[in-house]
Amino acid sequence: ILNVEQSPQSLHVQEGDSTNFTCSFPSSNFYALHWYRWETAKSPEALFVMTLNGDEKKKGRISATLNTKEGYSYLYIKGSQPEDSATYLCASPNAGGTSYGKLTFGQGTILTVHP
Amino acid sequence: DGGITQSPKYLFRKEGQNVTLSCEQNLNHDAMYWYRQDPGQGLRLIYYSQIVNDFQKGDIAEGYSVSREKKESFPLTVTSAQKNPTAFYLCASSMGQLVSGNTIYFGEGSWLTVV
């Protein structure tokens, strides 16, 4: 089983603060790194999928970077808003003997943004 | 609208009973997945299917069974052999290979409680 880990487990910030969290994954046999946002009572939704070392992706105030050589990705949120409160999941696929691959998820980082 | 529909949203089961969770997608995706979430843990893969009439065990398949008779449907049966079935279950699907950077899409989940 692939080992994907996220830190911190939870985070409380004030509205307007910028924040970041980490996802670490095995650097060998790397295919891709996914970030998802999971708001309460909703389905998890994809934020980014990154495949290349040095990739940087941005969506509004949220951005992510990828370092496949050392096995980590950072997710940044600039100027956090209460609507950013959610669980942020990262995941990495491994082939696992299949052509499609299987996603292994980290435990998630629970972000709470206080007004 | 295209999406993944899971039902029921809440289900109570008596010990010793089998129950089936429904998952239907109209995204025309080839692959479908079942994940389980427990407090403090990441999503763990139960079963997945890449094509109709074919499916593979995930990391925690014991006590579960699935079928894939139609492309759009991937029901999960939680059998009486599952020792600790109380959990939140998420169904997901993907169009292409996760190892190639394709993302997965999730349903809204089903809560199963054993009483």
Side-chain angles (χ1 to χ4, degrees), chain B residues 37-57:
Chain B
Q37 192 198 30
D38 295 280
Q41 296 200 43
L43 298 174
R44 292 184 292 166
L45 183 64
I46 304 172
Y47 265 98
Y48 61 103
S49 167
Q50 296 180 139
I51 55 172
V52 174
N53 292 324
D54 186 51
F55 48 83
Q56 287 82 38
K57 292 181 180 180

Side-chain angles (χ1 to χ4, degrees), chain A residues 1 9 31-32 34 36 38 41-46 49 51 89 93-96 98-107, chain B residues 30-31 33 35 37 40-43 45 48 50 59 88 90 94-104 106-108:
Chain A
I1 299 177
Q9 196 169 3
Y31 292 96
H34 297 222
Y36 292 85
W38 192 0
K42 294 186 178 180
S43 311
E45 59 172 1
V49 179
T51 56
L89 300 171
N94 64 340
T98 73
S99 60
Y100 268 68
K102 304 187 293 180
L103 266 186
T104 297
F105 284 85
Q107 311 94 309
Chain B
D30 291 318
Y33 311 83
Y35 285 90
Q37 192 198 30
Q41 296 200 43
L43 298 174
L45 183 64
Y48 61 103
Q50 296 180 139
D59 302 319
F88 184 68
L90 269 174
S94 68
M95 170 61 85
Q97 297 175 336
L98 299 175
V99 293
S100 300
N102 290 287
T103 189
I104 64 173
F106 289 93
E108 292 190 344

Side-chain angles (χ1 to χ4, degrees), chain A residues 26-102:
Chain A
S27 53
S28 58
N29 296 319
F30 174 82
Y31 292 96
L33 194 283
H34 297 222
W35 280 102
Y36 292 85
R37 175 169 58 199
W38 192 0
E39 296 177 68
T40 303
K42 294 186 178 180
S43 311
E45 59 172 1
L47 285 172
F48 307 113
V49 179
M50 296 181 287
T51 56
L52 298 175
N53 184 44
D55 254 356
E56 288 190 33
K57 300 261 183 171
K58 190 172 179 184
K59 188 176 185 177
R61 293 177 292 97
I62 304 177
S63 60
T65 60
L66 178 67
N67 183 324
T68 62
K69 293 187 189 305
E70 295 181 41
Y72 65 83
S73 174
Y74 293 134
L75 188 79
Y76 300 92
I77 302 179
K78 186 177 176 183
S80 303
Q81 299 296 310
E83 57 265 31
D84 295 328
S85 297
T87 298
Y88 290 83
L89 300 171
C90 72
S92 190
N94 64 340
T98 73
S99 60
Y100 268 68
K102 304 187 293 180

Side-chain angles (χ1 to χ4, degrees), chain B residues 79-96:
Chain B
T79 75
S80 56
Q82 169 48 236
K83 299 292 181 223
N84 186 19
T86 295
F88 184 68
Y89 292 87
L90 269 174
C91 179
S93 68
S94 68
M95 170 61 85

